[in-house]
Amino acid sequence: MPSPAGITEVLNPADLARLNGLELLASRVVDGLLSGKHRSQLKGGSAEFTEHRGYVPGDEVRLIDWKVFGKSDRYVIKQYIEQTCLQVIVVVDASGSMAFGLGTESKFHYARSLAACLTRLVLRQSDSAGLAVLENGACNYVPPRANPNHFQAILQRLLDGKPSGETSLAAHLTELARRIKRRGLIVLLSDCFDDLPALKQAMQFLRAKGHEIILLQTMAPEELTFDFGGWSRFDCLEVDGTHLNLDPGLVRKDYLENVRIFLADLKRICGETGCDYQALPTNQPMGDALAYYLQRRGSRLKQT
Amino acid sequence: MSFLNAAFLAGLPLVAIPLLIHLLSRRQQKRIAWGAMRFLKEAAARRRRLWRLTDLLLLLLRTAAFLLFIGALARPLLSASWLGDSVPREIVVVIDQSMSMSRKVGGTSLFDLQREKAHALLGNLKSRESVRILLAGDSPEWLTPEAVQVTPAAVRKLNEQLDKLQPTLGASDLLACVRDAADLEASKEISSRLIVIFSDRQRAGWQMDERPLWNAIQARMKRGAVPCTVSIEFLTETEPDTDNLCVNRIESPRPFASINQALNLTAQVQNHGSHSSGATLLTWQAAGQPLGITTIPELAPGASTSLSISHQFSAPGLFDITCRIEARDALPADNEAHLLVEVYKQLPVLLVEESNTAGPLEKDSAFVLAALGARKTDGVKTDWRSVFEATVIEPGALAATDLRRYRCVILANVRRVEAIDKLEAYVRAGGGLWIALGANTDTAFFNEQIYRGGLGLSPLKLTAPIGDPNDRERFFAIRTSLEPHPATALLSDFQRLDLDRARVYRRHQFDNLSGKDVSAFLQVQQGDPVVIERNLERGRVLVQSIPLGVSWSSLPLCQAYVAMLHEWLWYLAEPALPKRNLAVGESILSSRGAGETAELTLPDQRTVQLEPAIVSGTAEWRYAGTRLPGEYQLQIVGKVSTQFSVLRNISESDLANFSTQDLEQLHSTDGFRIGLDALAVTGKALPPRYPIEGWLLTALALVLLGELLLAGWTTNRRNLRLAPVSMSA
């Protein structure tokens, strides 16, 4: 069970407070039988009334709407959409690149806080939350549960995460897709410094399986400005021993162009695969950024 | 490469500064743990070549800037051979104009052969070479005052000048030519000097036996501004004929004569050849008129003989006495010799005597006048048989007398002379002074005014007289000095003259310790001087311790007296008389009361304009460039021309060729090449060296400009204002 210090390390109460009243909604109907915030494709049960239809022998008598019989002297039954439990898997990229942070907290810490907030939110709205931490080529998986006490396990896993090594997002997402039986919501917290075509393929695979994907991309402000001066040695955080000695000023233009192209490609892939994309640079207050996103998402979903 | 300021090369280690800064900046690089390596790798891969090249170029430019700056401060000199330049030489062509070059070999004179070779050499010179021409004579003379850059027009002009040259009667000091050529200043463009001498194989002129001279010449060649090589090219394959009978010179007791006075002329004839010469004739002429013929006997190799003839001149004037050997030999030019004799009708002499001397026979002047052959005619006019016409005055009139009219002044037994300064000035200007002491002589005055501590007219001072003029039993015998002297040569002939019979009863004594190296004409048998000589600038003084009369001696009664008087008057008058027969290098001097520009014609027919200088109120024309033997004609405007003769150097008549030892010595002398084609001699040539600091500074400016531009471009690129990437864009 994580210590109180550990909890506050990961979960800022101010950020949590910021998320009060917000909910993480799935845009698609979900599977599941438990009562939650999300619609199930399965009709019947004590779910929300949708329509009447004529009684046919074999229907349950309890479903007969007697008010309508009293008015119309016809036997009709009520049909309902049942509200089931949303399964949310938060995938946190703990590759070496996520360890970067100069002027702000590291991307991993940022993503970790995001993950904590999101899972807390999901559990609070009686949905089930799970976690996958992709670390050093391995996937540390916490199966989704709707039990509020499950948050401890998720927190512990987040605390144990140490970003290092290389991790293939695409491979892990594909693996996750095979593991998860129920359709649900995959929230990917990563800088996505990965092979984009492979990532696209993985995302398409997940979408084909009926999952919804939210990509919350974190990047450090230094990675977006590359405002370094003087001859420097850049040590790779993912591969030990890899470094580059260069004058940042001389490569800055090309570097920024590369980043620009990468982000554009990523957004295009998200658009093509129907994934929801949100950029969360680490210099933005996490709570505000997440709250803003959830509000916007909720508004958008309610309109459809 | 050499450097003018090599000390600055000590700063070369500073060239490493840019490299050190480059390395240190690398070591001080920041380390950044970076996540987005993939984007950086792509960017670095794309730009690596460019920024590595830029980096390296900046390092090279900065290093080059230091190197060029230090190099420019050190002021390097780059050899022309590095720049692909050829080695320009200066060629000094020595043209031997000596008499021996007039010999003919196979119908062509050696001088013409030399000229042909000089033409060919000039034609083969390269355009980057320069040439000078030096005329070899008794002293070298440059035909070209400055070095001439070889161009077709310049070569043509030099050839024209060479065509005008002819051999002279002079000798050639070829070693002096080598010395002068080696001592030349060198322009920056030339790297070596080649001295070309065309030799007729004659040994004379090379001073082969003077080893110290050769060593000195070699030292000068080594010290020269540029490396020097001497190329001696022989004009003929075989040794030319060396048989040569020569008239070395014509001599006479003096080159002056008086009318109807016999002058003895002696020709010295020598066989300079290596074979005996047969008997032949020597013909004499005076001013083109035959004087006589004498016979030259057979002479062994090297032997000489003197042949004399006597002649009386019947008219005054300047006479060119020539004698010629009537024989053919290898060198006809020296078969003839000349002597200019100036014949005078009269030469005025001033005799100063006190008139209070008793009795005409007791007057010294009487004896002098008698010796000079003065005799009165018509009781008034005086005829002179001697060329010396004496005017007698009293000492008091001396101050007012213009002494320039007289060739000689005789002070005969004068007590005091007030015009001592005037006399001294007269002597210094070339006049002759004969002080004959006697009973009237004031010893104290003499010592104080005439001796004047050795700075005056007398070289010795007087002490007390010795002897008794009345005691005729006791006397001093006199003789000429044991040192031969031209003024006493005749007096020494005791067979013809009776000087040994002269008796001196009383004489003044000279203090021998009051002067050094005094020339004595006459001495008593014991050696004390009786007549002493002093040369004072151009003039001469004789001081005689006995009077010219018979009061103290019997000298005037001797036959020798007349000869003595004439010989010594000639001797005293000679400095003021024009010197017509000169040695090579001796100045021509002509004086007249007044005059304008004169024109002097040299033996090679060149003319020189001479401006007169006024010396003591007299116009003088002087010419010192008598390097050519032969006849010089001086024409003063409005006057009759006058003649001078510069005598030959007799060593040039020795036609002996280089011996085997001589040739070995020449071959072994450093810097000398014998017998090769002159232009094929390369010698030790130093290619010219050019200072290149100007180029280095220009390169430095370009390097700094390049560094500035490249560094600026790099900084500009480094500090580009680029908008950060927006994740939400």
Side-chain angles (χ1 to χ4, degrees):
Chain A
M1 184 165 170
S3 63
I7 293 171
T8 52
E9 184 184 327
V10 176
L11 202 55
N12 189 341
D15 294 333
L16 269 180
R18 187 71 183 81
L19 299 177
N20 277 342
L22 293 173
E23 50 190 6
L24 178 62
L25 301 175
S27 62
R28 299 175 66 179
V29 294
V30 297
D31 290 342
L33 300 172
L34 294 179
S35 174
K37 276 287 184 184
H38 291 88
R39 292 182 163 191
S40 168
Q41 283 191 327
L42 302 174
K43 295 180 180 173
S46 57
E48 185 179 335
F49 171 79
T50 57
E51 60 185 6
H52 288 111
R53 71 169 172 84
Y55 175 84
V56 291
D59 290 331
E60 292 181 41
V61 175
R62 62 182 179 90
L63 295 175
I64 296 172
D65 191 348
W66 295 108
K67 287 182 180 174
V68 171
F69 178 72
K71 289 178 182 176
S72 63
D73 209 19
R74 285 193 302 122
Y75 291 105
V76 296
I77 60 164
K78 293 180 184 175
Q79 284 196 303
Y80 297 89
I81 292 180
E82 189 173 336
Q83 290 185 332
T84 59
C85 177
L86 172 65
Q87 181 174 273
V88 176
I89 308 287
V90 177
V91 178
V92 179
D93 181 1
S95 63
S97 62
M98 291 294 286
F100 178 77
L102 274 180
T104 58
E105 62 179 331
S106 71
K107 290 184 286 186
F108 177 73
H109 286 166
Y110 194 86
R112 189 172 64 176
S113 299
L114 266 175
C117 286
L118 280 170
T119 51
R120 173 79 175 185
L121 182 66
V122 167
L123 289 172
R124 198 175 62 189
Q125 64 189 33
S126 303
D127 288 322
S128 65
L131 178 70
V133 178
L134 310 178
E135 174 185 350
N136 208 14
C139 176
N140 296 316
Y141 184 65
V142 179
R145 294 283 186 274
N147 188 340
N149 293 329
H150 189 55
F151 184 65
Q152 307 298 327
I154 289 173
L155 266 187
Q156 188 61 52
R157 174 47 58 198
L158 286 172
L159 279 169
D160 292 340
K162 296 280 182 292
S164 64
E166 282 184 295
T167 298
S168 172
L169 271 180
H172 285 297
L173 286 177
T174 306
E175 180 60 30
L176 204 60
R178 292 197 182 98
R179 178 183 274 193
I180 301 169
K181 302 298 180 204
R182 277 182 58 192
R183 288 179 290 178
L185 179 62
I186 310 292
V187 181
L188 181 57
L189 305 176
S190 171
D191 54 17
C192 297
F193 292 164
D194 200 358
D195 181 24
L196 291 184
L199 184 63
K200 176 181 177 181
Q201 213 168 1
M203 289 164 88
Q204 282 173 338
F205 187 58
L206 278 168
R207 292 290 290 149
K209 286 251 173 184
H211 298 290
E212 188 179 347
I213 304 173
I214 297 176
L215 175 57
L216 301 178
Q217 186 189 22
T218 60
M219 284 185 73
E222 291 84 1
E223 290 172 331
L224 298 170
T225 60
F226 200 65
D227 196 9
F228 298 104
W231 191 267
S232 305
R233 171 174 160 149
F234 291 83
D235 294 310
C236 182
L237 285 168
E238 292 196 350
V239 180
D240 286 340
T242 300
H243 64 267
L244 280 176
N245 298 319
L246 46 82
D247 185 347
L250 296 180
V251 299
R252 186 160 174 259
K253 185 180 176 187
D254 289 319
Y255 167 84
L256 294 178
E257 187 61 27
N258 291 343
V259 171
R260 201 170 282 120
I261 293 170
F262 163 76
L263 291 175
D265 288 344
L266 186 62
K267 287 171 195 171
R268 179 177 51 77
I269 288 170
C270 291
E272 287 171 1
T273 55
C275 300
D276 199 6
Y277 170 86
Q278 179 64 39
L280 294 176
T282 56
N283 58 347
Q284 282 188 10
M286 190 275 296
D288 292 342
L290 186 58
Y292 172 77
Y293 170 69
L294 291 174
Q295 274 177 344
R296 195 167 63 81
R297 180 184 167 84
S299 306
R300 190 175 73 237
L301 289 177
K302 280 178 181 165
Q303 285 172 1
T304 57
Chain B
M1 185 187 289
S2 56
F3 298 88
L4 292 174
N5 294 334
F8 281 103
L9 294 177
L12 272 177
L14 296 176
V15 171
I17 288 178
L19 182 64
L20 285 173
I21 293 173
H22 176 80
L23 294 174
L24 283 173
S25 68
R26 294 289 183 273
R27 289 190 65 181
Q28 289 170 1
Q29 62 191 5
K30 293 181 291 188
R31 288 185 73 162
I32 301 167
W34 188 250
M37 194 59 94
R38 52 180 289 182
F39 309 119
L40 204 53
K41 273 186 184 174
E42 287 171 17
R46 200 178 308 147
R47 296 292 174 187
R48 175 169 291 135
R49 279 183 80 178
L50 179 63
W51 55 253
R52 272 191 176 167
L53 186 66
T54 309
D55 213 27
L56 184 65
L57 204 57
L58 278 174
L59 177 64
L60 287 175
L61 286 172
R62 286 160 184 164
T63 306
F66 270 86
L67 193 63
L68 288 169
F69 182 63
I70 292 170
L73 286 176
R75 299 188 68 193
L77 296 171
L78 194 65
S79 169
S81 57
W82 288 30
L83 303 171
D85 243 353
S86 61
V87 178
R89 296 183 296 185
E90 181 178 81
I91 317 291
V92 177
V93 181
V94 177
I95 299 295
D96 186 353
Q97 280 189 292
S98 66
M99 185 173 60
S100 62
M101 296 295 277
S102 62
R103 288 181 286 169
K104 288 196 175 183
V105 173
T108 308
S109 73
L110 291 170
F111 190 83
D112 287 338
L113 282 177
Q114 176 184 232
R115 198 197 330 258
E116 280 173 24
K117 284 189 177 285
H119 284 324
L121 184 140
L122 290 176
N124 287 331
L125 292 179
K126 298 190 179 67
S127 60
R128 288 214 58 202
E129 292 173 325
S130 57
V131 63
R132 294 178 187 248
I133 296 184
L134 181 60
L135 302 177
D138 285 276
S139 60
E141 181 182 357
W142 289 101
L143 183 65
T144 51
E146 302 287 339
V148 175
Q149 204 64 33
V150 172
T151 62
V155 167
R156 201 163 38 245
K157 190 175 173 189
L158 286 173
N159 284 330
E160 286 169 5
Q161 286 179 292
L162 286 174
D163 289 339
K164 290 179 186 169
L165 296 175
Q166 292 297 329
T168 67
L169 294 175
S172 58
D173 188 348
L174 294 165
L175 217 52
C177 291
V178 173
R179 176 202 65 209
D180 284 5
D183 281 351
L184 280 173
E185 290 288 328
S187 66
K188 286 181 193 174
E189 287 77 30
I190 66 156
S191 58
S192 69
R193 182 174 289 131
L194 177 64
I195 304 167
V196 179
I197 302 177
F198 300 107
S199 170
D200 58 356
R201 296 178 184 264
Q202 186 190 14
R203 193 173 190 267
W206 285 102
Q207 302 180 64
M208 299 304 300
D209 301 322
E210 301 292 332
R211 271 326 296 172
L213 205 58
W214 277 86
N215 294 338
I217 292 292
Q218 277 195 283
R220 284 175 103 119
M221 284 171 67
K222 280 183 186 156
R223 275 201 315 265
V226 289
C228 247
T229 306
V230 178
S231 172
I232 302 175
E233 196 174 327
F234 294 132
L235 291 171
T236 56
E237 292 291 328
T238 54
E239 292 181 349
D241 184 13
T242 58
D243 286 339
N244 186 29
L245 197 60
C246 152
V247 182
N248 284 344
R249 63 176 70 86
I250 300 175
E251 292 170 330
S252 69
R254 68 186 65 82
F256 313 106
S258 57
I259 299 172
N260 298 326
Q261 179 197 0
L263 182 67
N264 209 39
L265 302 163
T266 304
Q268 194 191 51
V269 177
Q270 186 173 2
N271 179 10
H272 288 283
S274 52
H275 303 102
S276 291
S277 66
T280 186
L281 297 176
L282 184 72
T283 57
W284 294 83
Q285 284 187 340
Q289 300 300 317
L291 290 183
I293 297 175
T294 48
T295 305
I296 304 171
E298 270 188 30
L299 291 174
S304 64
T305 185
S306 297
L307 302 168
S308 297
I309 193 169
S310 182
H311 179 68
Q312 281 186 359
F313 297 88
S314 58
L318 185 62
F319 292 85
D320 182 7
I321 308 295
T322 60
C323 63
R324 186 197 322 277
I325 297 174
E326 300 297 339
R328 283 177 175 267
D329 59 19
L331 189 61
D334 62 358
N335 290 359
E336 184 176 292
H338 294 260
L339 179 71
L340 291 177
V341 175
E342 190 137 23
V343 179
Y344 293 93
K345 184 178 177 182
Q346 274 180 349
L347 290 170
V349 170
L350 184 67
L351 182 58
V352 182
E353 186 181 42
E354 291 176 359
S355 62
N356 57 0
T357 309
L361 288 179
E362 291 175 351
K363 283 190 175 184
D364 295 346
S365 61
F367 292 93
V368 172
L369 293 174
L372 295 180
R375 58 190 174 87
K376 288 194 186 303
T377 58
D378 300 331
V380 176
K381 188 179 173 186
T382 306
D383 282 339
W384 295 89
R385 289 190 306 184
S386 167
V387 67
F388 295 104
E389 180 184 347
T391 302
V392 183
I393 65 169
E394 292 204 21
L398 187 60
T401 304
D402 183 4
L403 298 180
R404 292 176 298 177
R405 290 182 52 226
Y406 302 97
R407 299 300 179 186
C408 185
V409 174
I410 303 172
L411 301 179
N413 195 15
V414 172
R415 182 184 304 276
R416 283 171 174 260
V417 176
E418 298 307 321
I420 292 293
D421 292 340
K422 186 174 179 178
L423 281 174
E424 195 168 317
Y426 166 75
V427 171
R428 290 182 187 277
L433 179 63
W434 190 342
I435 305 173
L437 307 175
N440 293 335
T441 300
D442 183 341
T443 304
F445 175 84
F446 181 91
N447 288 340
E448 187 182 322
Q449 298 293 329
I450 297 179
Y451 169 65
R452 221 172 68 222
L455 300 176
L457 293 166
S458 172
L460 296 174
K461 69 177 182 182
L462 294 177
T463 59
I466 188 175
D468 182 357
N470 297 319
D471 182 2
R472 298 290 161 140
E473 296 302 321
R474 295 162 69 84
F475 57 86
F476 304 98
I478 57 176
R479 55 176 171 82
T480 56
S481 170
L482 296 175
E483 296 287 329
H485 194 288
T488 58
L490 186 62
L491 298 177
S492 305
D493 185 356
F494 293 133
Q495 288 190 348
R496 292 165 60 192
L497 295 174
D498 57 352
L499 183 68
D500 56 334
R501 292 184 187 168
R503 294 177 180 183
V504 174
Y505 305 108
R506 180 176 169 80
R507 61 184 175 89
H508 285 279
Q509 289 190 97
F510 294 111
D511 181 0
N512 290 328
L513 297 178
S514 62
K516 283 194 290 190
D517 300 323
V518 176
S519 170
F521 279 15
L522 293 181
Q523 295 170 323
V524 295
Q525 289 297 343
Q526 292 85 349
D528 288 340
V530 174
V531 179
I532 56 176
E533 175 194 22
R534 168 147 219 178
N535 291 304
L536 200 62
E537 289 190 20
R538 288 173 58 187
R540 296 167 178 165
V541 180
L542 292 180
V543 183
Q544 184 172 304
S545 62
I546 55 176
L548 287 166
V550 295
S551 55
W552 285 13
S553 73
S554 64
L555 182 60
L557 303 176
C558 299
Q559 291 175 338
Y561 183 80
V562 175
M564 179 193 80
L565 209 61
H566 279 85
E567 288 293 305
W568 292 3
L569 284 175
W570 274 119
Y571 180 74
L572 289 170
E574 190 175 353
L577 298 175
K579 190 171 182 183
R580 303 282 178 190
N581 301 285
L582 307 165
V584 169
E586 205 172 347
S587 294
I588 289 173
L589 179 63
S590 182
S591 302
R592 282 187 186 274
E596 298 177 4
T597 304
E599 183 179 270
L600 181 69
T601 304
L602 308 184
D604 59 2
Q605 305 309 307
R606 287 182 293 157
T607 56
V608 177
Q609 302 296 317
L610 300 178
E611 294 292 334
I614 305 300
V615 178
S616 303
T618 305
E620 276 187 5
W621 292 265
R622 184 184 289 268
Y623 179 72
T626 54
R627 62 181 287 275
L628 294 178
E631 182 185 299
Y632 290 73
Q633 286 278 353
L634 180 68
Q635 176 69 56
I636 300 170
V637 173
K639 309 286 181 190
V640 177
S641 71
T642 185
Q643 193 177 342
F644 296 84
S645 176
V646 173
L647 306 177
R648 279 187 276 113
N649 185 335
I650 61 174
S651 66
E652 181 62 19
S653 295
D654 182 1
L655 302 178
N657 294 318
F658 285 126
S659 64
T660 309
Q661 287 86 351
D662 293 335
L663 290 174
E664 280 174 11
Q665 180 183 329
L666 287 173
H667 275 293
S668 64
T669 303
D670 196 25
F672 277 68
R673 305 287 182 267
I674 314 299
L676 298 174
D677 177 22
L679 291 182
V681 174
T682 53
K684 296 176 194 171
L686 283 176
R689 294 173 295 169
Y690 298 117
I692 57 170
E693 69 260 23
W695 291 101
L696 293 179
L697 288 172
T698 305
L700 175 63
L702 291 173
V703 162
L704 288 175
L705 182 64
E707 196 273 346
L708 205 65
L709 291 173
L710 188 59
W713 177 79
T714 307
T715 305
N716 204 28
R717 192 177 166 76
R718 188 180 287 122
N719 297 328
L720 277 176
R721 287 176 182 272
L722 296 170
V725 177
S726 169
M727 290 184 80
S728 54

